[in-house]
């Protein structure tokens, strides 16, 4: 009985009392996924909900009802907004909130208060909680937008004890602000958890028609959302008027949302009504749209225009074109879908931006999240030790020490999704920054294009789910495939005979759209070379050549630390260097290529010829009748004294060496790396021929056999790990 009471006591201690305070429609879209997560774990968390700010104002849609519709019990409703929509009213609203909040917080006594963003209401919440010794978790700190919101956001961060930020740069900003790195979680944006799941819902046309009418089609309308800039109200009102004029001239169906409650919003509504927007047949003006429906409308819009953070954050996940007006989002990390019109001083400039952006489609980006923020935040909350001192400690000097302390964590968790599209098997792997293959999957490669793409996407999605449980952050996708590839477009131009129906195929777009990640594509020879540069013998070598000796002969060239692709993407087709004018026919249609002498296929052909002439087998050689003849038998026979097999292999080694000598005389690398199943066999004879027949200046060039087990997968991963980390994700 005593033990049972002890267990119950421990269970009670585990429940963390979390108060989530929401002030407006925008922050509820970020907080709701966390609230659902907390509610789903009643054994670990005790959720309290406080509603204040514009949620409770009729002019802004009484959006507290959405919270009730989501079946959350609202513990307190605080009317904190002083109407007036000017600077003084904002200050008075903060003061009113500070007067009312202490009673609520005293009654609820939460262990942690969750506060979002950069609104003046949130500043009041953080101030009250900090002064009442309540721990604060701040969402989306460390970001930069370029208005008074920056000052409010950073002030809340200084009051907060814990931080859940969305991007790597935001994390670095918080570290630079002397916040304790151990209390910063790089989680991603919680709203992405919902929007990535909702993007492909089949009812999107019903939603479009319910808000814009039956005549409007997908991609044929605009979503407009412009808020006042409180540090320059008059200019933001002017921009708002110019935006409306441009939209009227552009003559497309437009869904326009009312501005938020900041100072200047009343004047902006007057401008809208003066221009007759609410009565115009091409416009639908609304105060609020439920988030799930709003993201569907943004996802399928022809364009989003305004200065809302949704344009630079959520819209990027769908590749929706965005026109960002003015300075309200200056400093935000954005994807390539955003066109900035910072000096929006004329109707024509905005109209021209609409002409450029409307109807385009961009690659989906995951700058602000990967759809797994809520599990990370719940885990972070669960790890909070209430016995730790409440007093914050700041880390000086900024940035340098915390980053160096965390480099092992970064190396372990930042990972790539690598794909090897072979002729026989389709392989997918999770590979971390150190080159460790954390998990690998393999399936037989289907014969038809449709089945191949379907299986590829299915395997990628399953791998992404596993990555979360492995605590891996997938930065992007790298694809290695045979044939000629345009890496700039992610298109396979011409593939090998091993992969039929694989010509002029865009691999980047379907994978990027399905996974919301950047995608890199290159041929297997180049990928093997990139693998050597990052993980193998080529690491730190400025100029080297990789030669793949497998079924065929391929490779890649690194010059001045960069991969050489050539003007038509066929550089480093090393297997098709001609070394004999009257040599055997090659698969390319020519004669005397290296591949016709030294590839696995060529050696297998010679082995079969000797076998058919009963010249292959020697005494002591183990050959089963049912066993297919391969290059391995040829090599085994030569090692056991078969002079015919030895002659074939000497000829192949010499042909390969002569081709490599040609490469040495053209690009003059400091190192040659042999990769593939025949690499260890060819290494010594190739080195010997080079020392005898190359120019004196190149005879000392080293030839080494690769020690990488999975060059194609590692090379695919290196494209992501080398290039994705140069960008902001």
């Amino acid at each position: 009985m005593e033990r049972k009471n002890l267990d119950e006591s421990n269970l009670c201690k585990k429940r963390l009392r979390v108060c989530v305070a929401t002030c407006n429609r925008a922050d509820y879209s970020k907080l709701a996924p966390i609230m659902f997560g907390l509610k789903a774990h009643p054994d670990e968390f005790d959720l309290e909900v406080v509603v204040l700010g514009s949620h409770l104002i009729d002019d802004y849609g009484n959006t507290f009802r959405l919270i009730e519709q989501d079946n959350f019990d609202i513990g307190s409703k605080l009317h904190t907004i002083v109407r007036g929509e000017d600077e003084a009213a904002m200050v008075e609203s903060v003061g009113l909130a500070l007067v009312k909040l202490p009673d609520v917080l005293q009654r609820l006594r939460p262990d942690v208060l969750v506060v979002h963003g950069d609104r003046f209401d949130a500043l009041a919440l953080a101030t009250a909680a900090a002064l009442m010794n309540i721990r604060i978790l701040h969402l989306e700190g460390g970001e930069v937008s370029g208005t008074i919101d920056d000052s409010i956001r950073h002030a809340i961060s200084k009051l907060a004890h814990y931080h859940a930020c969305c991007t790597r740069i935001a994390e670095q900003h918080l570290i630079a602000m002397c916040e304790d790195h151990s209390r910063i979680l790089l989680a991603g944006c919680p709203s992405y958890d919902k929007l990535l799941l909702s993007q492909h819902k089949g009812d999107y046309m019903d939603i479009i028609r319910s808000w814009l009418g039956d005549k409007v089609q997908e991609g044929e309308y605009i979503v407009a959302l412009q808020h006042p800039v409180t540090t320059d109200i008059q200019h933001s009102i002017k921009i708002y008027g110019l935006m409306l004029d441009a939209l009227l001239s552009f003559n497309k169906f437009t869904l326009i949302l009312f501005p938020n409650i900041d100072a200047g919003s009343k004047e902006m509504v007057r401008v809208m009504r003066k221009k007759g927007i609410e009565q115009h047949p091409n416009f639908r003006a609304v105060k609020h749209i439920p988030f799930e429906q709003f993201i569907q409308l943004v996802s399928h819009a022809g364009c989003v225009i305004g200065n809302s953070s949704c344009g630079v954050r959520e819209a990027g996940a769908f590749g929706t074109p965005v026109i960002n007006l003015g300075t309200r989002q200056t400093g935000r990390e954005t994807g390539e879908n955003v066109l900035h019109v910072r000096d929006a001083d004329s109707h024509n400039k905005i109209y021209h931006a609409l002409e450029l952006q409307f109807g385009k489609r961009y690659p989906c980006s995951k700058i602000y999240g990967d759809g797994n923020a809520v599990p990370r935040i719940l885990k972070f909350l669960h790890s909070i030790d209430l016995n730790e001192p409440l007093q914050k400690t700041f880390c000086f000097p900024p940035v340098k020490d915390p980053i160096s302390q965390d480099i092992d964590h970064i190396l372990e968790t930042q990972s790539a999704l690598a794909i090897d599209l072979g002729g026989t098997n389709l392989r997918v792997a999770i590979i971390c920054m150190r080159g460790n293959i954390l998990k690998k999957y393999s399936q037989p490669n289907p014969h038809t294009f449709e089945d191949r793409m379907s299986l590829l996407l299915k395997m990628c999605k399953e791998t992404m789910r596993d990555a979360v449980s492995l605590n891996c952050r997938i930065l992007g996708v790298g694809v290695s495939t045979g044939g000629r590839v345009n890496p700039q477009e992610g298109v396979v131009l011409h593939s090998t005979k091993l992969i039929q129906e694989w010509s002029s195929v865009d691999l980047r777009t379907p994978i990027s759209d399905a996974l919301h990640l950047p995608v890199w594509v290159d041929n297997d020879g180049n990928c093997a070379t990139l693998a050597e540069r990052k993980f193998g013998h080529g690491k730190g070598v400025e100029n080297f050549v990789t030669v793949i000796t497998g079924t065929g002969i391929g490779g890649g060239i690194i010059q001045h630390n960069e991969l050489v692709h050539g003007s038509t993407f066929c550089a480093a087709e090393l297997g098709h260097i001609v070394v004999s004018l009257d040599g055997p026919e090659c698969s390319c249609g020519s004669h005397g290529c290296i591949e016709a002498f030294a590839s696995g296929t060529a050696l297998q052909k010679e082995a079969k010829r000797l076998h058919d002439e009963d010249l292959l087998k020697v005494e002591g050689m183990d050959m089963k009748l049912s066993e297919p003849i391969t290059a391995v038998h040829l090599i085994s026979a030569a090692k056991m004294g078969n002079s015919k097999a030895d002659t074939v292999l000497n000829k192949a080694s010499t042909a390969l060496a002569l081709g490599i000598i040609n490469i040495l005389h053209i690009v003059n690398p400091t190192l040659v790396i042999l990769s593939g199943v025949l690499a260890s066999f060819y290494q010594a004879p190739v080195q010997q021929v080079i020392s005898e027949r190359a120019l004196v200046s190149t005879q000392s060039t080293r030839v080494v056999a690769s020690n990488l087990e999975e060059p194609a997968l590692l090379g695919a991963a290196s494209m992501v790990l080398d290039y994705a980390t140069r960008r902001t994700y």
Side-chain angles (χ1 to χ4, degrees):
M1 185 68 178
E2 199 172 313
R3 177 60 183 268
K4 182 181 178 182
N5 291 337
L6 184 62
D7 289 342
E8 289 177 354
S9 175
N10 289 335
L11 185 63
C12 290
K13 288 180 181 178
K14 289 179 182 178
R15 279 167 57 89
L16 189 73
R17 195 171 180 81
V18 181
C19 177
V20 178
T22 172
C23 309
N24 53 64
R25 66 190 182 192
D27 78 9
Y28 182 63
S29 68
K30 316 294 177 66
L31 293 168
I34 300 173
M35 293 162 64
F36 279 114
L38 293 168
K39 189 176 179 181
H41 295 82
D43 294 338
E44 299 177 37
F45 303 104
D46 183 8
L47 173 64
E48 293 287 349
V49 180
V50 173
V51 172
L52 63 158
S54 60
H55 271 309
L56 303 169
I57 297 179
D58 182 62
D59 287 352
Y60 292 87
N62 279 327
T63 49
F64 73 91
R65 294 196 181 99
L66 294 174
I67 304 170
E68 293 177 336
Q69 288 169 12
D70 285 339
N71 292 318
F72 289 113
D73 295 325
I74 299 176
S76 295
K77 296 177 184 175
L78 299 180
H79 292 269
T80 57
I81 296 298
V82 177
R83 301 306 299 271
E85 285 78 25
D86 58 15
E87 295 96 329
M90 289 169 63
V91 176
E92 290 170 359
S93 296
V94 172
L96 183 58
L98 286 171
V99 169
K100 293 187 174 185
L101 280 167
D103 288 341
V104 174
L105 295 177
Q106 185 73 34
R107 174 171 54 84
L108 297 178
R109 293 187 177 278
D111 296 318
V112 179
L113 174 70
V114 179
V115 178
H116 168 269
D118 50 29
R119 306 293 300 144
F120 57 84
D121 323 69
L123 179 60
L125 282 161
T127 302
L131 292 173
M132 296 182 70
N133 291 324
I134 296 170
R135 288 173 168 81
I136 302 165
L137 171 62
H138 183 209
L139 304 180
E140 299 187 6
E143 297 183 17
V144 177
S145 57
T147 66
I148 189 64
D149 294 349
D150 280 347
S151 299
I152 296 174
R153 186 186 309 110
H154 301 331
I156 297 171
S157 291
K158 300 314 296 177
L159 292 167
H161 302 79
Y162 307 95
H163 311 271
C165 58
C166 297
T167 70
R168 180 69 63 186
I169 284 183
E171 179 188 38
Q172 292 172 352
H173 287 165
L174 288 169
I175 295 169
M177 291 163 61
C178 309
E179 293 300 311
D180 184 347
H181 198 189
S182 68
R183 295 189 173 196
I184 301 171
L185 171 70
L186 178 54
C189 182
S191 65
Y192 268 54
D193 290 28
K194 183 177 289 188
L195 68 89
L196 292 179
L197 289 174
S198 304
Q199 180 187 3
H200 298 294
K201 283 189 176 179
D203 62 348
Y204 68 90
M205 281 307 303
D206 294 335
I207 294 171
I208 292 172
R209 293 186 183 112
S210 70
W211 288 99
L212 289 164
D214 294 337
K215 296 181 180 179
V216 180
Q217 298 299 314
E218 176 184 6
E220 294 183 1
Y221 61 91
I222 296 169
V223 174
L225 182 52
Q226 181 88 356
H227 299 304
V229 177
T230 55
T231 50
D232 195 353
I233 294 173
Q234 292 308 312
H235 185 61
S236 62
I237 294 170
K238 177 185 175 183
I239 291 176
Y240 189 64
L242 293 171
M243 178 190 78
L244 295 177
D245 290 339
L247 289 169
L248 286 165
S249 301
F250 199 64
N251 198 32
K252 297 289 183 184
F253 285 104
T254 301
L255 179 67
I256 184 166
L257 279 81
F258 277 61
N260 65 21
I261 201 168
D262 283 350
S265 60
K266 186 184 293 184
E267 289 82 355
M268 291 174 73
V269 173
R270 287 197 191 104
V271 170
M272 181 175 69
R273 287 174 174 161
K274 186 176 180 181
K275 294 181 182 293
I277 296 299
E278 290 173 291
Q279 290 76 41
H280 197 284
N282 272 1
F283 284 79
R284 176 76 190 277
V286 297
K287 295 176 180 177
H288 173 71
I289 301 174
F291 181 69
E292 292 82 355
Q293 297 181 35
F294 179 67
I295 59 177
Q296 292 277 17
L297 292 164
V298 168
S299 170
H300 299 283
C303 180
V304 173
I305 187 171
N307 65 1
S308 169
S309 62
C310 129
V312 299
R313 297 172 69 98
E314 283 82 358
F318 312 123
T320 303
V322 172
I323 300 169
N324 181 54
L325 302 178
T327 60
R328 189 170 183 265
Q329 302 300 334
T330 298
R332 290 270 193 196
E333 300 163 62
T334 64
E336 58 184 291
N337 64 310
V338 178
L339 175 63
H340 293 282
V341 187
R342 293 188 176 92
D343 187 16
D345 55 355
S346 70
H347 157 276
N348 288 338
K349 191 179 289 186
I350 300 173
Y351 186 88
H352 185 56
L354 285 164
E355 288 183 316
L356 289 173
Q357 287 286 78
F358 185 80
K360 290 180 73 173
R361 233 50 212 171
Y362 290 90
C364 303
S365 74
K366 272 188 165 183
I367 293 175
Y368 287 95
D370 60 3
N372 297 296
V374 172
R376 295 187 185 110
I377 291 171
L378 296 185
K379 185 178 178 182
F380 189 55
L381 281 168
H382 192 67
S383 71
I384 291 175
D385 183 359
L386 299 180
N387 294 317
E388 285 184 348
L390 187 63
Q391 176 60 50
K392 281 188 67 171
T393 55
F394 298 100
C395 297
F396 298 98
V399 178
K400 187 174 292 183
D401 285 347
I403 286 182
S404 64
Q405 290 166 9
D406 195 45
I407 189 66
D408 288 339
H409 173 72
I410 292 171
L411 290 174
E412 288 169 1
T413 57
Q414 287 192 335
S415 305
L417 194 68
I419 299 170
D420 177 24
L421 259 170
T424 306
N425 292 318
L426 197 164
R427 301 187 303 155
V428 179
I430 301 170
I431 299 176
C432 73
M433 194 71 78
R434 288 194 179 94
N436 297 329
I437 298 178
L438 305 180
K439 199 152 189 178
K440 184 168 62 175
Y441 314 79
S442 181
Q443 292 283 349
N445 205 340
H447 297 294
T448 66
F449 170 78
E450 292 79 9
D451 290 344
R452 191 176 300 130
M453 286 303 302
S454 176
L455 176 61
L456 174 62
L457 295 178
K458 179 174 180 285
M459 290 177 70
C460 287
K461 289 176 181 177
E462 290 173 353
T463 307
M464 289 293 293
R465 285 195 290 269
D466 289 344
V468 176
S469 62
L470 291 169
N471 196 30
C472 293
R473 181 174 298 279
I474 302 297
L475 298 175
V477 182
V479 183
S480 168
T481 182
R484 188 162 65 97
V485 176
N486 179 346
Q488 298 169 3
E489 302 293 334
V491 173
V492 180
L493 301 173
H494 303 290
S495 193
T496 62
K497 291 181 179 179
L498 294 173
I499 306 178
Q500 301 299 322
E501 302 180 24
W502 205 254
S503 184
S504 298
V505 171
D506 179 4
L507 286 179
R508 175 178 293 163
T509 300
I511 298 174
S512 179
D513 287 350
L515 303 183
H516 309 283
L517 285 171
V519 177
W520 287 265
V521 185
D522 214 328
N523 87 340
D524 47 12
N526 286 337
C527 284
T529 306
L530 292 173
E532 294 294 340
R533 184 181 71 174
K534 187 165 184 67
F535 303 113
H537 292 302
K539 192 171 184 178
V541 181
E542 187 175 2
N543 302 290
F544 71 91
V545 172
T546 300
V547 181
I548 301 175
T549 56
T551 305
I553 301 289
I557 300 171
I558 295 290
Q559 279 285 86
H560 305 299
N561 294 314
E562 294 295 333
L563 186 65
V564 178
H565 282 103
S567 60
T568 57
F569 313 108
C570 65
E573 287 290 349
L574 310 180
H576 301 291
I577 295 175
V578 176
V579 292
S580 173
L581 294 178
D582 56 354
E585 185 177 1
C586 180
S587 61
C588 69
S590 184
H591 288 264
C593 299
I594 298 174
E595 189 168 296
F597 286 102
S599 67
T601 302
L603 296 183
Q604 183 183 34
K605 184 177 179 181
E606 288 297 304
K608 287 181 177 178
R609 179 182 64 78
L610 292 177
H611 181 263
D612 292 344
E613 296 174 5
D614 202 24
L615 298 174
L616 180 64
K617 190 173 181 180
V618 295
E619 187 177 348
M621 186 174 173
D622 183 24
M623 286 183 64
K624 297 177 182 178
L625 293 175
S626 60
E627 188 177 27
I629 303 300
T630 67
V632 174
H633 295 108
L634 189 71
I635 295 170
S636 297
K639 286 180 178 179
M640 298 179 72
N642 186 323
S643 60
K644 298 288 186 183
D646 192 55
T647 300
V648 171
L649 290 174
N650 283 336
K651 190 175 183 180
S653 300
T654 303
L656 178 62
L658 291 176
I660 291 174
I661 288 171
N662 288 334
I663 299 167
L664 299 183
H665 293 169
I666 295 170
V667 298
N668 194 25
T670 57
L671 178 69
V672 175
I673 303 171
L674 299 182
S675 181
V677 294
L678 298 171
S680 58
F681 169 76
Y682 279 132
Q683 187 265 331
V686 167
Q687 185 80 74
Q688 180 66 29
V689 175
I690 289 174
S691 67
E692 296 171 353
R693 303 184 63 168
L695 290 174
V696 174
S697 57
T698 62
Q699 285 180 0
S700 61
T701 304
R702 282 195 311 130
V703 179
V704 298
S706 174
N707 56 7
L708 300 180
E709 293 184 6
E710 295 284 2
L713 287 172
L714 289 172
S718 74
M719 290 191 288
V720 177
L721 300 174
D722 279 345
Y723 298 115
T725 50
R726 295 180 189 173
R727 298 177 60 184
T728 303
Y729 285 97

